[in-house]
Amino acid sequence: MQYFPNIPKIEYAGKNSRRELAFKHYDPDKVVAGKPMKDHLKFAMSWWHTMTADGTDMFGVGTMDKKFGGVSDMKVSKNRVGAAFEFMEKLGIGYFCFHDKDLAPEGKDLKTFHENLDVITPMVKAEMDRTGIKCLWGTSNVFGNPRYVHGAGTSCDANIFAYAAAQIKKAIDITIEFGGDGYVFWGGREGYETLLNTDMGFEIDNLARLLTLARDYGRAQGFKGCFYIEPKPKEPTKHQYDFDASTVLAFLRKYDLMGDFKLNIEANHATLAQHTFQHELAVARVNDALGSIDANQGDPNLGWDTDQFPTNLYDTTLAMLEVLRMGGFTTGGLNFDAKCRRPSMTHEDMFLAYIAGMDSFAFGLKAADALMKDGRIDKFVSDRYSSYKKGIGKKIVDGKVGLEDLYKYALGLGEYTVGTSGRQEYLEEVLNQVMLESD
Amino acid sequence: MQYFPNIPKIEYAGKNSRRELAFKHYDPDKVVAGKPMKDHLKFAMSWWHTMTADGTDMFGVGTMDKKFGGVSDMKVSKNRVGAAFEFMEKLGIGYFCFHDKDLAPEGKDLKTFHENLDVITPMVKAEMDRTGIKCLWGTSNVFGNPRYVHGAGTSCDANIFAYAAAQIKKAIDITIEFGGDGYVFWGGREGYETLLNTDMGFEIDNLARLLTLARDYGRAQGFKGCFYIEPKPKEPTKHQYDFDASTVLAFLRKYDLMGDFKLNIEANHATLAQHTFQHELAVARVNDALGSIDANQGDPNLGWDTDQFPTNLYDTTLAMLEVLRMGGFTTGGLNFDAKCRRPSMTHEDMFLAYIAGMDSFAFGLKAADALMKDGRIDKFVSDRYSSYKKGIGKKIVDGKVGLEDLYKYALGLGEYTVGTSGRQEYLEEVLNQVMLESD
Amino acid sequence: MQYFPNIPKIEYAGKNSRRELAFKHYDPDKVVAGKPMKDHLKFAMSWWHTMTADGTDMFGVGTMDKKFGGVSDMKVSKNRVGAAFEFMEKLGIGYFCFHDKDLAPEGKDLKTFHENLDVITPMVKAEMDRTGIKCLWGTSNVFGNPRYVHGAGTSCDANIFAYAAAQIKKAIDITIEFGGDGYVFWGGREGYETLLNTDMGFEIDNLARLLTLARDYGRAQGFKGCFYIEPKPKEPTKHQYDFDASTVLAFLRKYDLMGDFKLNIEANHATLAQHTFQHELAVARVNDALGSIDANQGDPNLGWDTDQFPTNLYDTTLAMLEVLRMGGFTTGGLNFDAKCRRPSMTHEDMFLAYIAGMDSFAFGLKAADALMKDGRIDKFVSDRYSSYKKGIGKKIVDGKVGLEDLYKYALGLGEYTVGTSGRQEYLEEVLNQVMLESD
Amino acid sequence: MQYFPNIPKIEYAGKNSRRELAFKHYDPDKVVAGKPMKDHLKFAMSWWHTMTADGTDMFGVGTMDKKFGGVSDMKVSKNRVGAAFEFMEKLGIGYFCFHDKDLAPEGKDLKTFHENLDVITPMVKAEMDRTGIKCLWGTSNVFGNPRYVHGAGTSCDANIFAYAAAQIKKAIDITIEFGGDGYVFWGGREGYETLLNTDMGFEIDNLARLLTLARDYGRAQGFKGCFYIEPKPKEPTKHQYDFDASTVLAFLRKYDLMGDFKLNIEANHATLAQHTFQHELAVARVNDALGSIDANQGDPNLGWDTDQFPTNLYDTTLAMLEVLRMGGFTTGGLNFDAKCRRPSMTHEDMFLAYIAGMDSFAFGLKAADALMKDGRIDKFVSDRYSSYKKGIGKKIVDGKVGLEDLYKYALGLGEYTVGTSGRQEYLEEVLNQVMLESD
């Protein structure tokens, strides 16, 4: 059976095409920067937003059909498997990401949940085998159930820590079963509502304990992929311990986890932390910790996670520039952690939204490649720091001078000041020009 | 000569006193939590805001007299020495903090600057000897001069790195000369305006080089005090590398500087980073890195550093709670990095503002002590995590269980959920009650 | 039957009492500023948050029982009537506020909804008669159902406009039946998600049409109460047309609705609009448009409506100061549009939270009264503008001078400048002092 | 003499040109949407940022030379006249905007100031006559001098109100002398720092008095241009009375000033008020109050007025769409209220920055025209509201139905819901496509 009978296979139609259900920029096999676009971009479908999110928000119930004809919970879950793979095949998406809870109903207890999962996961695996679609990463939803109200790894109740550990074990098992390249931790309740009732130091130690246990288990089971932490500053809790990329780096270093963990950077979470998307990517990259990307966008005037489909071409261009600068993804990819706006309630909107997102990142890839080939920006940056390649600058970098040496040197500089401009406005015009020239 | 002839010595007059120029809560020798208030609070005057800031803002020129009768730059600097110590003596403030540039005019080059400093610092030292007032910490202003337009340690020009190093050397020398307990780095230009022209990784490496050189120099000169980094997320630059406490911790760990550096937490900088003041203090404390405090407050609706005098009693209470929890200050103290609002333009306002700030922190100390003595909040927190003191919780903490053990344990929990409330609203009422009861 | 069998009648126990289930400040019959506290404060229970909100958030399902033993939708609604009045009686709350949808299930269509309402409303009325509890205001939920996805009065579909009008008619009828003093419009979907698909001018005209029709209908039915608009800047939509108090005033003036409409100011909505609560109250007051208050608080670091119980005593004091300045409420009151934090999941927490909120506003009333009696702040303000009571100032106010007259006058002023301080820091210390002295 | 001897006349070189000092999109005489680009865009130079701002910020002194060889204040002012017109001629800018204080030094009192102005203004007039360059609007700086510390029209000191009135009279005289098309009020200090010392109602009444006096004087002197208020939410003061477009509309309606006043919308001020630039333009437009534009951009992650040159092509496209929708400017234009970033400190940067800004708006004009010609977005919007053109919708718009009619109608709708999508993601892809296709 078809779940999207009126939607054709989505094809590349060229940037000026007026066909709505067609790609304008994403041409999967076109070679850009040395390899096919699809290998650069590694698009993934997020099972949760795509297959389960129905437009419910805090002030209103769902507007979209995500039951795909199912009535019982299990039947809905089964139909979603079919719908998901039809959806990915029609869009030519090569990966998916999932929470345990996206795949099967939780039921009343852990045993039931895992029995339900054991029904659904073989169906997913069969579809993977049939289609060649892969798992980018898996994760466990240890935030939605009321039992996680005080946290999972940071819960004040040790039984809940155990419960979370158990869910994570199973989710790692499934990820390995699916041949997933990564496993993500997003700590939706790992934070606090008020410091009045919180022992912050103890909670963070416990969070590290949970991640260490998970890492040890995964490695013992032969998992070769990457563990990721996904930073987010707040929401649902007032403060989340994985606030932003730097905060997570401080945590990973403190608990000696840098060897196994990288970051999964989400655009909208960057916005909520008052950073640009590129900033968070760059922080991760210069610390050798850029693992994977949740591709979406937020609204700079809104203070919650809107998880909109990414259509801002500045953001996609500068994001892909960071990806190219790190030499491309290894285990990671671009997961559309994005949902249709609540008023975009048709199944056609799901496709239109993914097309908009995929085209925007495909454009971003072409533009980033063009920026590197154009070379004006890179050359400007390289020239800008050239004083560190010789003389006193080189000595500083090489650790050959002390503070007193520099003191004597500086005394000799007289009324020295900087005369070179940062040329921000010019560089912004260059960026515009190269973007508009891309393909 | 007197600089504030109409201002008497400020005395404690009791909480219901209507005397404007008197303390309502700050009773220096009153013993609270085992020692005199003055020893807990260790108030410091900030030389810059107090002696030099004249109310200039981006849209208007100064409204206040901070020349104290001086005409030439050097005469102004000299008069400020007298005014500063008269000010501190009248308020009973035991410490001051300074930038090199606060003390003496920069002149045209480094040599002139340091010659100017060599005239002023002995005058300061003499006043310190006369009054017993101490130096809490020193620092160097390597952000105001146009030469630091692209940064100091992170400048793209190696000569500027050297220039900053030279200023820092001299400022460390002066700090040692003053017997200062600390030396602060606030990287006002250590960040970027646009990633388009910035090599972030290289800049941060250079920042670490500068701090390492300064640490090595200071220790070689016998400096036993603490080095501090003061986090701030932005302003003047778009992004500053010392964004918040966690970001600085990531940096200190990466470059192996945790042994010598702690944090100087400023309330207003916390606000700008979307944190509460208490949050930043707690993050520093649980990482054994809470060094000193810049006592001020921001406006949650404003996006720049207003550096207002701290008068919100919730903030001062919760801040002092963190200080008491870490066992009090060692090298650090409460530095009023605060300025009168531009329309508070009289010398009397300077005193009224300090009185308001000192009273607010004195109240905070009393209230924090009362909260600890009351015990309801601490007991609630302790009880809340009690499941980790025995059974499965203890095994988790002691590292005696693996993920599979926890999986088996959790399967046995059945439909288990959390039933205990976080009781936030109740705890907020307790906080109000104890605060209102504080003497 | 009792719904809260373990909760006693909540009584005033004095500010130092350690009884958890007792008021510390709210002493209903105590006379403050000329009348009993209960008549100043006019507390109301919000039916939605109190009787229906179960802790669901965007990342997790409910944690609280709000079914009160009911199984079918109608039985739940009936039990809520009993629970609500028991709750209000035990707390001594004299008013309630409701949406149509809070009282009875919507069912599949309007006819069913209104039939359901016709079953429940007589039960409510009977309880009102039994207890003497009154209706502060009613409203209609025209935002939650999927049919309002594009707005109600601002929907692009005229049938939806009609549907909203029909719900409003019925809600006005019920409000009149209950003898309600007010009728509120909160336009949860009256805004836009993107300007790309929106005719803003047309939508706002339509919103005015809907409100005008409702006003005309209400008046024709004999409704003597006040219509209110409740400003909110955003959430759920990206932008809401009733952004803040000033925006609503612009709207009311444009469409000539000032005669019948006032504002219902909510603290958390003020925060979201980057205003203080007092600011929004003052804007309403100086425009003779302060009608009623939604008493809650937001978190300045969070960008969504947390609707927390109000416990910040600065906010409650300054809010009550505005209420006293306008001479007290007429039709309005203090409605707790507040919900327990998700981890405060017990029925006891509901009481503790209301106690905290009621005590905080009771304290605010006492403190505001003390501020007015203290007089220092009012006198300072009065003196500050005294130059307008005579001379050139009086002529300006009386409209007796033109620009050329003022030009000539100013030429005669010479090097005139302002010498008087705004004394903000001093006034903040006065505020603290008087608050701490309030009984 | 030449002030920018190394800068040639800036010419259009085509969108792919690599000439730095050339336009890529701005081709002044090219006809777009029926008239030459230069007539659509009406670019203006802001005297203040361009001729006087030297890169000073709150943490550092100036980095740029804006003295143009002058030593005395008057000589600097004279040289700026020459530099300004050379600058505008080289860029082909047809208009300028000024504050009184930009043109001549204030001196010690009003008399001196106006004598200084009387020296400079004829020099400006002569250059205007020589070059054909016009004045877009004038204004008076009644916020920078310490005397305006408590406000100008809202000062607590009546003498200051008079002083401001006198400055405004003279600035209006100069604007008329220059043949200016507009006169702007930006109330930089018309607001409050704290409500504790403020009589908000009285202050706003006084602000209205001042504007009314100015309007009456201007009209009496034969000024036919438009008066504008420029909204800004905050900075320098905590709260400014002209918060945003809607707030100003509320004010203009209350004091019956809509006939003479329109809005001057600034992009960065929109950002600070949590609005998009397009939102503020649209609000002004649908209220027939869009007068003129301050063309710049802010940084969504920064909370102060960065006044950056506008280079975001989304913003310029959507802004020009609003301008085209209102039929183009009448008295208004695009004033670059923008300054080079502090590290862009050369005179060449001034040109590069204007080029970037002018090109970005020229692109925006072309793209906005293309969007209208493409028609997909406009058609979608028109179709979306089509239900109001017939049947019940038409009756609603025509005022032919009451609430009871709609109630009966809605009862007949049964289980009616909305099925049409808002198609936001699709429309965003259309926007991207048309922008990239724009010449």
Side-chain angles (χ1 to χ4, degrees), chain C residues 150 155 157-159 192 197 199 203 239 250 253-254 272 274 279 287 384-385 387-388 409 416 420 422, chain D residues 150 155 157-159 192 197 199 203 239 250 253-254 272 274 279 287 384-385 387-388 409 416 420 422:
Chain C
H150 301 302
S155 175
D157 182 332
N159 282 345
Y192 62 80
N197 68 15
D199 183 340
E203 290 202 353
H239 177 89
R253 286 180 183 129
K254 181 172 183 180
L272 292 173
Q274 296 192 320
H279 171 84
N287 285 284
R384 194 167 180 239
Y385 298 94
S387 66
Y388 288 96
Y409 178 86
Y416 185 83
T420 54
Chain D
H150 301 303
S155 176
D157 183 333
N159 282 344
Y192 63 80
N197 69 15
D199 184 339
E203 290 203 354
H239 177 89
R253 285 181 183 129
K254 181 173 183 178
L272 292 172
Q274 296 191 319
H279 171 84
N287 285 283
R384 196 170 179 236
Y385 298 94
S387 66
Y388 288 95
Y409 178 86
Y416 186 82
T420 54

Side-chain angles (χ1 to χ4, degrees), chain A residues 18 34 36 53-54 104 114 149 177 293 296 309 338 348 386 396 398:
Chain A
R18 259 56 181 165
D54 68 355
H114 288 181
V149 65
E177 167 74 12
I293 290 177
N296 63 17
F309 275 87
E348 188 186 56
S386 58
I396 291 166
D398 293 343

Side-chain angles (χ1 to χ4, degrees), chain A residues 388-389 392-400, chain B residues 202 206 209:
Chain A
Y388 288 95
K389 291 169 193 155
I392 193 72
K394 189 163 190 315
K395 286 183 191 162
I396 291 166
V397 171
D398 293 343
K400 299 287 176 57
Chain B
F202 181 72
N206 270 359
R209 288 182 183 110

Side-chain angles (χ1 to χ4, degrees), chain A residues 150 155 157-159 192 197 199 203 239 250 253-254 272 274 279 287 384-385 387-388 409 416 420 422, chain B residues 150 155 157-159 192 197 199 203 239 250 253-254 272 274 279 287 384-385 387-388 409 416 420 422:
Chain A
H150 301 304
S155 176
D157 183 332
N159 283 345
Y192 62 80
N197 68 15
D199 183 339
E203 290 203 352
H239 177 88
R253 286 180 183 130
K254 181 172 183 179
L272 291 173
Q274 295 192 322
H279 171 85
N287 285 284
R384 196 168 178 237
Y385 297 94
S387 66
Y388 288 95
Y409 178 86
Y416 185 82
T420 54
Chain B
H150 301 303
S155 176
D157 183 332
N159 283 344
Y192 63 80
N197 68 16
D199 184 339
E203 290 202 354
H239 177 89
R253 286 179 182 130
K254 180 173 184 179
L272 291 173
Q274 295 192 320
H279 171 85
N287 284 284
R384 195 169 179 238
Y385 298 94
S387 66
Y388 288 95
Y409 178 86
Y416 186 81
T420 54

Side-chain angles (χ1 to χ4, degrees), chain D residues 360-419:
Chain D
S360 296
F361 266 95
F363 175 87
L365 170 62
K366 291 187 292 182
D369 180 49
L371 282 166
M372 293 179 81
K373 290 204 168 71
D374 176 83
R376 281 178 287 175
I377 289 176
D378 283 351
K379 180 170 189 314
F380 182 83
V381 175
S382 176
D383 290 351
R384 196 170 179 236
Y385 298 94
S386 58
S387 66
Y388 288 95
K389 290 170 193 153
K390 58 182 189 300
I392 193 71
K394 187 162 192 314
K395 285 184 192 163
I396 291 165
V397 171
D398 293 344
K400 299 288 176 54
V401 282
L403 213 63
E404 289 185 285
D405 304 313
L406 292 166
Y407 179 74
K408 283 170 205 152
Y409 178 86
L411 277 175
L413 287 172
E415 298 183 40
Y416 186 82
T417 193
V418 175

